[in-house]
Amino acid sequence: SLALADSGVTDWSHHDERSAAFFALGIAKTTGSAVVIVTTSGTAAAELHPALAEAINGRVPLIAITADRPTALRNVGAPQTIDQQDLFGRSVKWSHDIEVPPDPREAIDLATRMWVEAMSPPAGPVHLNLRFDEPLMPTDAVTSAADGIPDVAIGRCEPDESAIASLAADLSGRRGIVIAGTDSEPGLAEAAAVFAAAANWPILADPLSGLRAGHHDRSHVLAASDALSWAGFLDAAQPEAVVRFGGIPTSKPIWQWLGNHREVPQVFIEPAGWRDPTFSASVVLRSEVVPTLHLLAKAMGDTTETSWMTRWQNADRAAAAAVSGVIEGNPFPNEPMVARIVSEALPDPGVLWVASSMPVRDLDAVMLPTERRVRVLANRGANGIDGFVSTALGSGAVSGVATVALAGDLSMLHDLSALATAARLDLPVTIVAVNNDGGGIFHLLPQAGHDHFERHWGTPHGLDLAAVATALGVESETVSDASRLTELVSTPPAGPRFIEVRTDRTANADLHRRIRSAVVESLAQI
């Protein structure tokens, strides 16, 4: 801690190690740089595990440094001592257990290796377990040893131009689709747009792909890909080829379709790791996505006739209009409309964090393509709801633009202590919490209707979340008017702001069923 404090590295002090780790996760996802987390020993170290599990699956670079007791005090009942060797198992890329290095050169080498391991593709978390012995305070001033740090160049998987030319020849003229998953990187939106235009294919873009918002060409980006998928349009207009990249899409009907149609050639561009839980990729290009898409676009020959793209665009307009008609015609507040307002009212430029479970699914269903610069982020590596608020706060601390978090009530309950941190650090983040008093997503799953449903899946809590936020020092308001929600989200706060929107779980499930019926009916009329 003293070494980092004297190094010029920006630091944030937290009371809760679990929240600190998710706060670091938010910084790392926003900046793309490795972030260090420092804790004491014992259960304090174990608190990091949820965030590291998200980081390993979400490809986020974190460096966890945990203090430990001397070797002689292990397994003898010493206080604040647990077994911390390989504490995080396969939730980290690399782990190392060592006494505090006495030689500065050794420390420099170790620090460099941690950074390289965290940042090398696929990026992810690493763990350094440092064993300390008394005296715990240094006798001399701790100084930063900047001299002698080696220059490190992390290589990339360059595309094979001959392989891409052969693949492009095979894809040219086919009726295909582009599936953009839950990753985003600089230049990806432009590269995907260039390839889609060259192939004349529609893009089924996850809201976390970065393709739905921005100044790039969005003419091939669909507005209602999730709705089209569960309405059966992928079967009605079955593609002859798929080019996909990124993590598994939020839309379950899309990735289920991939797994059920292995007969359709699926080209998966994946520079590192192996993210194909559908086991359906027929061609894997082991190369960076952005240059690969540009090369594919240049190599494409005759494109598909315009009727293919026109058919998808007509269906997309009909489905998007059906979705909008239902949610706009339903009394406010309703959960899909909350997601629509938040995505459209967020200042430009801005960062929108969306929680797992229903919020990210609602956003997928209702977020329309826009030229506004809205960056959408989420913890979709492990898809958990734990630590969501802390992650968004970490992002807001470094983003430099308006930051809004769309949370469910259960993700808020998991991370209520983060509100105290937001107040203490005076972080200008707006948190919109949809409070339907429990687990709303389960009303749309097979558990609904079971005798023990309400107790074990509905899990009502009865809390006034705005009152809790106020008690923890955060400006709060309960909103029941769409114009007021728009006003609050569109106005960046000077400090943390909490907005509670109360909805009904049962009514929300009925609304989603009506949306699906309306989409199916609209497609039958085109």
Side-chain angles (χ1 to χ4, degrees):
S1 295
L2 292 175
L4 289 170
D6 289 335
S7 69
V9 172
T10 304
D11 61 69
W12 289 268
S13 178
H14 285 257
H15 295 115
D16 181 336
E17 293 85 3
R18 181 192 58 83
S19 293
F22 279 107
F23 191 92
L25 185 82
I27 297 173
K29 288 200 73 164
T30 303
T31 63
S33 296
V35 180
V36 180
I37 313 155
V38 179
T39 75
T40 53
S41 63
T43 57
E47 293 281 353
L48 307 184
H49 205 146
L52 299 182
E54 169 62 32
I56 192 71
N57 287 284
R59 302 187 172 186
V60 184
L62 294 178
I63 298 172
I65 302 179
T66 56
D68 202 353
R69 307 302 298 278
T71 304
L73 294 183
R74 288 177 173 173
N75 301 312
V76 294
Q80 203 172 332
T81 305
I82 65 173
D83 186 352
Q84 294 180 202
Q85 294 184 80
D86 297 318
L87 178 62
F88 306 113
R90 295 186 179 181
S91 293
V92 293
K93 293 175 60 179
W94 176 80
S95 63
H96 192 52
D97 179 81
I98 191 175
E99 294 180 350
V100 178
D103 184 349
R105 284 298 318 166
E106 185 180 354
I108 291 171
D109 182 76
L110 187 57
T112 304
R113 182 176 181 189
M114 285 192 297
W115 185 86
V116 170
E117 295 284 357
M119 294 293 294
S120 295
V126 300
H127 174 216
L128 175 65
N129 191 53
L130 279 176
R131 302 194 300 270
F132 286 86
D133 203 348
E134 294 183 352
L136 297 178
M137 293 297 291
T139 54
D140 300 319
V142 177
T143 57
S144 168
D147 294 336
I149 297 177
D151 292 327
V152 178
I154 297 177
R156 295 296 200 184
C157 298
E158 294 298 324
D160 183 321
E161 294 193 30
S162 61
I164 288 177
S166 175
L167 179 62
D170 186 50
L171 294 175
S172 295
R174 293 198 184 198
R175 297 182 170 191
I177 60 174
V178 177
I179 296 180
T182 60
D183 279 349
S184 62
E185 60 177 287
L188 177 60
E190 292 78 5
V194 168
F195 171 73
N200 205 21
W201 292 359
I203 303 176
L204 284 65
D206 192 273
L208 307 176
S209 67
L211 270 68
R212 290 203 202 177
H215 291 167
H216 57 280
D217 174 20
R218 301 176 308 282
S219 60
H220 289 255
V221 177
L222 302 182
S225 56
D226 177 60
L228 290 173
S229 301
W230 48 247
F233 192 74
L234 272 167
D235 289 321
Q238 181 162 314
E240 298 169 340
V242 176
V243 169
R244 58 189 176 99
F245 46 85
I248 198 71
T250 299
S251 173
K252 187 175 182 179
I254 291 179
W255 61 258
Q256 283 184 326
W257 186 91
L258 291 172
N260 293 332
H261 291 81
R262 296 187 179 94
E263 76 281 1
V264 178
Q266 298 181 28
V267 178
F268 185 32
I269 309 173
E270 179 76 321
W274 198 270
R275 295 175 295 179
D276 183 27
T278 62
F279 313 111
S280 57
S282 51
V283 176
V284 178
L285 292 179
R286 203 62 158 177
S287 57
E288 294 299 314
V289 178
V290 172
T292 299
L293 287 173
H294 279 297
L295 287 173
L296 270 175
K298 290 180 181 179
M300 292 291 285
D302 294 333
T303 59
T304 311
E305 76 278 8
T306 57
S307 61
W308 173 249
M309 189 64 213
T310 300
R311 183 180 182 184
W312 275 87
Q313 287 174 326
N314 289 340
D316 185 56
R317 280 192 290 269
V323 172
S324 295
V326 174
I327 65 174
E328 291 170 4
N330 201 71
F332 188 86
N334 66 75
E335 295 181 25
M337 196 61 191
V338 171
R340 170 73 63 83
I341 289 173
V342 169
S343 68
E344 294 183 347
L346 177 70
D348 175 9
V351 175
L352 172 58
W353 275 89
V354 58
S356 292
S357 197
M358 282 308 298
V360 71
R361 288 172 171 83
D362 281 337
L363 189 72
D364 190 17
V366 304
M367 182 181 177
L368 301 175
T370 175
E371 66 175 356
R372 298 169 59 252
R373 294 161 297 172
V374 176
R375 185 181 181 190
V376 183
L377 297 172
N379 288 339
R380 297 297 284 176
N383 293 3
I385 62 174
D386 185 23
F388 170 73
V389 181
S390 294
T391 312
L393 293 178
S395 177
V398 297
S399 69
V401 297
T403 302
V404 175
L406 177 60
D409 52 343
L410 297 189
S411 59
M412 286 303 309
L413 290 177
H414 264 280
D415 208 17
L416 279 177
S417 64
L419 293 175
T421 300
R424 180 168 57 87
L425 299 179
D426 199 27
L427 299 171
V429 175
T430 296
I431 302 166
V432 179
V434 176
N435 184 0
N436 59 25
D437 195 27
I441 191 172
F442 295 108
H443 287 267
L444 301 173
L445 298 177
Q447 294 92 332
H450 193 279
D451 290 344
H452 298 294
F453 174 80
E454 189 65 2
R455 179 182 178 189
H456 292 301
W457 287 280
T459 60
H461 51 79
L463 288 177
D464 181 339
L465 294 179
V468 174
T470 300
L472 291 173
V474 175
E475 170 195 330
S476 64
E477 182 175 338
T478 299
V479 171
S480 58
D481 180 79
S483 60
R484 179 57 176 164
L485 179 61
T486 300
E487 178 186 357
L488 289 172
V489 172
S490 62
T491 308
R497 172 189 290 154
F498 182 83
I499 305 168
E500 180 181 21
V501 184
R502 296 179 181 176
T503 62
D504 180 85
R505 283 186 272 124
T506 303
N508 181 59
D510 178 66
L511 176 62
H512 279 80
R513 296 185 188 99
R514 287 193 282 122
I515 291 173
R516 296 189 178 194
S517 296
V519 171
V520 171
E521 183 179 342
S522 71
L523 293 179
Q525 297 174 1
I526 63 173

mmCIF file of all heavy atoms in Angstrom, residues 4 33 66 85 104 181 190 211 234 389 399 416 422 451 522:
data_model
loop_
_atom_site.group_PDB
_atom_site.id
_atom_site.type_symbol
_atom_site.label_atom_id
_atom_site.label_comp_id
_atom_site.label_asym_id
_atom_site.label_seq_id
_atom_site.Cartn_x
_atom_site.Cartn_y
_atom_site.Cartn_z
ATOM 1 N N LEU A 4 2.546 1.786 -3.472
ATOM 2 C CA LEU A 4 1.623 2.318 -4.473
ATOM 3 C C LEU A 4 1.253 3.762 -4.147
ATOM 4 O O LEU A 4 1.139 4.598 -5.045
ATOM 5 C CB LEU A 4 0.367 1.451 -4.534
ATOM 6 C CG LEU A 4 0.561 0.066 -5.159
ATOM 7 C CD1 LEU A 4 -0.667 -0.796 -4.941
ATOM 8 C CD2 LEU A 4 0.853 0.196 -6.644
ATOM 9 N N SER A 33 -7.123 -0.926 -19.209
ATOM 10 C CA SER A 33 -5.826 -1.098 -18.563
ATOM 11 C C SER A 33 -5.971 -1.931 -17.288
ATOM 12 O O SER A 33 -7.027 -1.939 -16.659
ATOM 13 C CB SER A 33 -5.220 0.263 -18.205
ATOM 14 O OG SER A 33 -4.955 1.010 -19.372
ATOM 15 N N THR A 66 -2.697 -9.844 -2.503
ATOM 16 C CA THR A 66 -3.216 -10.131 -1.171
ATOM 17 C C THR A 66 -2.074 -10.309 -0.197
ATOM 18 O O THR A 66 -1.104 -11.018 -0.473
ATOM 19 C CB THR A 66 -4.078 -11.404 -1.189
ATOM 20 O OG1 THR A 66 -3.310 -12.497 -1.720
ATOM 21 C CG2 THR A 66 -5.315 -11.212 -2.047
ATOM 22 N N GLN A 85 -2.779 -19.849 -0.832
ATOM 23 C CA GLN A 85 -2.060 -20.298 -2.017
ATOM 24 C C GLN A 85 -3.070 -20.783 -3.050
ATOM 25 O O GLN A 85 -3.937 -21.611 -2.753
ATOM 26 C CB GLN A 85 -1.098 -21.435 -1.664
ATOM 27 C CG GLN A 85 0.035 -21.020 -0.743
ATOM 28 C CD GLN A 85 1.002 -22.155 -0.511
ATOM 29 O OE1 GLN A 85 1.860 -22.441 -1.336
ATOM 30 N NE2 GLN A 85 0.860 -22.828 0.627
ATOM 31 N N PRO A 104 15.053 -4.971 -5.135
ATOM 32 C CA PRO A 104 14.188 -4.156 -5.989
ATOM 33 C C PRO A 104 14.089 -4.673 -7.425
ATOM 34 O O PRO A 104 13.034 -4.568 -8.049
ATOM 35 C CB PRO A 104 14.847 -2.765 -5.940
ATOM 36 C CG PRO A 104 15.584 -2.750 -4.642
ATOM 37 C CD PRO A 104 16.073 -4.161 -4.438
ATOM 38 N N GLY A 181 -21.421 -10.198 -30.902
ATOM 39 C CA GLY A 181 -21.659 -10.595 -29.524
ATOM 40 C C GLY A 181 -21.322 -9.520 -28.520
ATOM 41 O O GLY A 181 -21.237 -8.333 -28.838
ATOM 42 N N GLU A 190 -17.019 0.184 -36.856
ATOM 43 C CA GLU A 190 -16.744 0.574 -38.236
ATOM 44 C C GLU A 190 -16.388 -0.635 -39.098
ATOM 45 O O GLU A 190 -16.857 -0.765 -40.230
ATOM 46 C CB GLU A 190 -15.604 1.597 -38.281
ATOM 47 C CG GLU A 190 -15.943 2.949 -37.676
ATOM 48 C CD GLU A 190 -15.903 2.957 -36.152
ATOM 49 O OE1 GLU A 190 -15.509 1.931 -35.544
ATOM 50 O OE2 GLU A 190 -16.264 3.998 -35.559
ATOM 51 N N LEU A 211 -22.209 -1.752 -31.535
ATOM 52 C CA LEU A 211 -22.638 -1.493 -32.907
ATOM 53 C C LEU A 211 -23.951 -0.734 -33.001
ATOM 54 O O LEU A 211 -24.264 -0.179 -34.051
ATOM 55 C CB LEU A 211 -22.760 -2.813 -33.685
ATOM 56 C CG LEU A 211 -21.501 -3.278 -34.414
ATOM 57 C CD1 LEU A 211 -20.419 -3.675 -33.420
ATOM 58 C CD2 LEU A 211 -21.809 -4.448 -35.339
ATOM 59 N N LEU A 234 -35.539 -16.247 -37.951
ATOM 60 C CA LEU A 234 -34.299 -16.890 -38.400
ATOM 61 C C LEU A 234 -34.579 -18.202 -39.129
ATOM 62 O O LEU A 234 -33.781 -18.618 -39.978
ATOM 63 C CB LEU A 234 -33.376 -17.135 -37.206
ATOM 64 C CG LEU A 234 -32.437 -15.994 -36.828
ATOM 65 C CD1 LEU A 234 -31.818 -16.236 -35.462
ATOM 66 C CD2 LEU A 234 -31.344 -15.826 -37.880
ATOM 67 N N VAL A 389 -23.267 -2.363 -8.743
ATOM 68 C CA VAL A 389 -23.201 -0.934 -8.439
ATOM 69 C C VAL A 389 -21.752 -0.491 -8.287
ATOM 70 O O VAL A 389 -21.349 0.558 -8.816
ATOM 71 C CB VAL A 389 -24.007 -0.613 -7.171
ATOM 72 C CG1 VAL A 389 -23.945 0.884 -6.869
ATOM 73 C CG2 VAL A 389 -25.451 -1.054 -7.329
ATOM 74 N N SER A 399 -14.417 7.488 -16.301
ATOM 75 C CA SER A 399 -14.923 7.594 -17.679
ATOM 76 C C SER A 399 -14.796 8.994 -18.250
ATOM 77 O O SER A 399 -14.591 9.171 -19.456
ATOM 78 C CB SER A 399 -16.381 7.140 -17.739
ATOM 79 O OG SER A 399 -17.229 8.061 -17.061
ATOM 80 N N LEU A 416 -25.576 -2.909 -1.701
ATOM 81 C CA LEU A 416 -26.044 -1.669 -1.078
ATOM 82 C C LEU A 416 -24.914 -0.854 -0.461
ATOM 83 O O LEU A 416 -24.958 0.379 -0.455
ATOM 84 C CB LEU A 416 -27.088 -1.985 -0.007
ATOM 85 C CG LEU A 416 -28.517 -2.240 -0.501
ATOM 86 C CD1 LEU A 416 -29.410 -2.614 0.672
ATOM 87 C CD2 LEU A 416 -29.079 -1.023 -1.227
ATOM 88 N N ALA A 422 -20.233 5.593 -2.832
ATOM 89 C CA ALA A 422 -20.559 6.647 -3.797
ATOM 90 C C ALA A 422 -20.683 7.998 -3.103
ATOM 91 O O ALA A 422 -20.191 9.014 -3.606
ATOM 92 C CB ALA A 422 -21.860 6.306 -4.516
ATOM 93 N N ASP A 451 -45.606 -24.236 -6.635
ATOM 94 C CA ASP A 451 -46.161 -23.977 -5.304
ATOM 95 C C ASP A 451 -45.234 -23.132 -4.439
ATOM 96 O O ASP A 451 -45.701 -22.335 -3.618
ATOM 97 C CB ASP A 451 -46.449 -25.304 -4.590
ATOM 98 C CG ASP A 451 -47.617 -26.046 -5.204
ATOM 99 O OD1 ASP A 451 -48.381 -25.419 -5.972
ATOM 100 O OD2 ASP A 451 -47.768 -27.253 -4.936
ATOM 101 N N SER A 522 -47.259 -8.957 -36.281
ATOM 102 C CA SER A 522 -46.747 -7.987 -37.251
ATOM 103 C C SER A 522 -45.980 -8.666 -38.382
ATOM 104 O O SER A 522 -46.071 -8.242 -39.545
ATOM 105 C CB SER A 522 -45.841 -6.974 -36.547
ATOM 106 O OG SER A 522 -44.614 -7.566 -36.141
#
